[in-house]
Amino acid sequence: MSDVERVDQLRVLEELKAAAAAAQARIAVDLDLSQRREQEAAGVPAVRRGRGVGAQVALARRESPHQGGRLLGLAKALVLEMPHTYAALESGALSEWRATLLVRESICLDAPARAAFDAQLWADPVAVERLGTRALVARARQIAYRLDAAGVVARARRAEHERGVSLRPAPDTMTYLTGLLPVAQGVGVWAALTRTADALRAQGDGRSRGQIMADTLVERVTGQACAERVPIEVQLVMTDKALLAGDAEPAVIPGYGTVPAQFARDLITDRLDASAGTGGETNADAGKVLAWLRRLFTAPGTGELVALDSRRRIAPPGLARFIAVRDQACRTNWCDAPIRHRDHVVPAAEGGPTTAHNLRGACEGCNYARQAPGWTARTLHTAAPGDDNAGGNTACQRAGPGGHVVELTTPTGHRYTSHAPPLPGHPPARATAPPGRHATDSRLKRLLERHLVDFDRTA
């Protein structure tokens, strides 16, 4: 195959991807229409029709439910209101991402205005195809503003109500703390951090500009005099060997994910060292640094957290914490959203108990999607190797010993199996502690004995 043919194939495959995206959009719209008709026949109120369709799209495309809702909204806008953009996507002249940007820029327009937007934008298709992504967005904004200037301004004002702060994991035990702010506030925060960094650098501070800005942000938000002295509660799911004997089995911090065992030990040791005043701090400074260690032990042999139960419909705090630690994120396949609800697998209205076995962690969207007609769920049996009851159940074997497995069935009969993430210590780690760590581990033991340690013993 020549290079000319390779380039031609790359182009053809790119057009095929766009055409496939157009086909998915058409199918999603047809699915939404069919499901709404079925829900209407089932007596679902008009305001609730369509609930759960985005979640079905997400599961079929292996995306999060939030992304599934966006994809369904994109499909409906393209197929029903933007025929020129849809035709460009179908022919391969426009990628799905660029089509998404065009829909986003026309979101403030009503249906007639959006049709006019679509026609004006594609008046010269060749020119549009040659535009870069930024130039395409700029042209789309110009057209939208000319069609409905008041709507664009109103959209900008509504956007201020969507301001917020989010936290998501970053590589190497770091996190991204993101603030979505109105432009004036965002620029003001950036300018204040920049001025502080420039001033400290001019005074000879050895930290980089970015390090000073990050530390200043932490200090001003938390009210601490030093960024490293922020009080923490570390919820660690780890084996006793990993905590106290230098074992290399990774630990899990709920809300973040897996961290190296040595990082977890150092995190605790550093905080306890500071609290004890071993670094030369004054007693007043030492008292400002607090550290709580909330340990959750795993059951010997299976690595499973021992279940808790309650007779209440709403999970009590201890059981809710247990579910959050066990599931770590929403249990719906391909959904990484934080846990907001403890969803009964067998609904409480149908007699489902409030137990760890019958609860799964879920985000709000996934929990509400299950309320639509036709959604069912059940907890599958799991067994340790050698259990005669395991039989040939593939789901059981895939779950592993002590696993918690939930099977979700959609209104179309498609089934999706969700497995609780594996916990540290199962299978037992065989790695040994690296040389030179015994002194640090001994100091950690002494520090733990000298401080208030809140152990949630579940095994």
Side-chain angles (χ1 to χ4, degrees):
M1 184 183 299
S2 68
D3 287 348
V4 174
E5 292 173 318
R6 292 188 178 98
V7 172
D8 290 340
Q9 286 191 351
L10 288 174
R11 180 58 189 171
V12 169
L13 290 173
E14 189 65 26
E15 293 176 350
L16 181 61
K17 287 165 55 180
Q24 287 180 315
R26 173 72 68 179
I27 294 170
V29 171
D30 292 342
L31 175 66
D32 179 69
L33 180 60
S34 175
Q35 289 286 292
R36 286 176 181 272
R37 288 173 177 169
E38 289 188 9
Q39 292 176 5
E40 180 181 6
V44 177
V47 70
R48 295 174 54 188
R49 292 171 196 162
R51 177 179 289 183
V53 179
Q56 294 185 64
V57 172
L59 289 168
R61 296 189 59 171
R62 299 186 178 181
E63 297 281 2
S64 70
H66 176 71
Q67 180 66 5
R70 294 180 61 184
L71 290 169
L72 179 57
L74 169 67
K76 294 168 72 172
L78 290 174
V79 174
L80 303 178
E81 300 176 353
M82 303 177 68
H84 298 284
T85 303
Y86 178 76
L89 179 65
E90 192 174 33
S91 67
L94 186 72
S95 68
E96 184 179 26
W97 171 242
R98 285 159 67 90
T100 303
L101 295 177
L102 294 180
V103 172
R104 184 192 69 182
E105 295 305 322
S106 64
I107 197 67
C108 60
L109 305 176
D110 56 20
R114 178 173 281 182
F117 166 91
D118 185 57
Q120 291 185 28
L121 179 67
W122 291 98
D124 187 355
V126 176
V128 174
E129 292 178 22
R130 293 175 178 173
L131 292 175
T133 300
R134 183 173 298 181
L136 178 63
V137 170
R139 177 171 295 187
R141 287 178 180 174
Q142 292 174 354
I143 297 174
Y145 188 79
R146 286 197 299 265
L147 290 172
D148 188 2
V152 174
V153 173
R155 176 188 172 191
R157 290 175 179 172
R158 288 195 302 270
E160 294 186 4
H161 295 285
E162 299 176 0
R163 61 187 183 276
V165 178
S166 62
L167 183 72
R168 55 191 176 93
D172 303 322
T173 65
M174 301 290 283
T175 58
Y176 293 108
L177 176 65
T178 305
L180 179 63
L181 304 173
V183 61
Q185 296 179 13
V187 172
V189 170
W190 180 263
L193 295 175
T194 300
R195 286 195 301 268
T196 300
D198 292 342
L200 292 178
R201 291 278 293 174
Q203 297 172 15
D205 195 307
R207 292 173 294 174
S208 68
R209 197 164 177 265
Q211 290 173 340
I212 296 176
M213 294 174 70
D215 293 346
T216 303
L217 175 65
V218 174
E219 292 162 3
R220 293 185 178 180
V221 171
T222 62
Q224 298 294 310
C226 180
E228 288 78 11
R229 299 300 180 82
V230 177
I232 60 170
E233 174 180 299
V234 182
Q235 295 192 33
L236 286 177
V237 184
M238 60 192 302
T239 64
D240 52 350
K241 292 182 180 180
L243 177 63
L244 300 175
D247 194 81
E249 177 69 20
V252 173
I253 298 181
Y256 177 83
T258 302
V259 297
Q262 188 57 54
F263 173 83
R265 288 193 292 269
D266 291 343
L267 180 67
I268 300 169
T269 304
D270 293 343
R271 292 307 193 276
L272 295 180
D273 272 340
S275 182
T278 57
E281 303 86 348
T282 64
N283 291 335
D285 290 337
K288 295 180 181 179
V289 183
L290 302 176
W292 293 271
L293 173 65
R294 195 178 297 280
R295 273 280 290 123
L296 291 99
F297 288 101
T298 56
T302 67
E304 181 184 17
L305 292 175
V306 176
L308 302 175
D309 65 272
S310 171
R311 295 184 179 180
R312 293 162 46 178
R313 183 182 186 279
I314 300 176
L319 180 56
R321 181 186 300 148
F322 176 90
I323 298 300
V325 173
R326 184 197 66 191
D327 294 348
Q328 301 181 26
C330 178
R331 281 289 296 277
T332 302
N333 298 59
W334 307 293
C335 182
D336 296 323
I339 294 175
R340 293 287 182 258
H341 294 175
R342 279 74 187 176
D343 180 30
H344 287 72
V345 177
V346 177
E350 300 176 9
T354 304
T355 63
H357 182 74
N358 192 50
L359 291 176
R360 65 168 194 145
C363 65
E364 294 182 23
C366 289
N367 191 20
Y368 293 145
R370 272 199 61 202
Q371 308 308 313
W375 289 79
T376 60
R378 62 172 181 154
T379 304
L380 299 182
H381 168 72
T382 58
D387 189 340
D388 294 336
N389 295 327
N393 190 326
T394 303
C396 168
Q397 296 172 0
R398 289 178 55 196
H404 184 259
V405 185
V406 175
E407 182 184 75
L408 186 67
T409 304
T410 68
T412 58
H414 291 83
R415 297 181 179 181
Y416 301 89
T417 304
S418 165
H419 302 256
L423 295 172
H426 190 85
R430 299 181 180 274
T432 57
R437 296 307 307 172
H438 300 289
T440 299
D441 296 330
S442 299
R443 186 174 77 254
L444 176 56
K445 293 178 184 178
R446 293 194 302 271
L447 288 169
L448 287 172
E449 293 173 355
R450 292 164 52 192
H451 290 77
L452 176 63
V453 181
D454 178 17
F455 283 96
D456 278 356
R457 296 184 180 270
T458 60

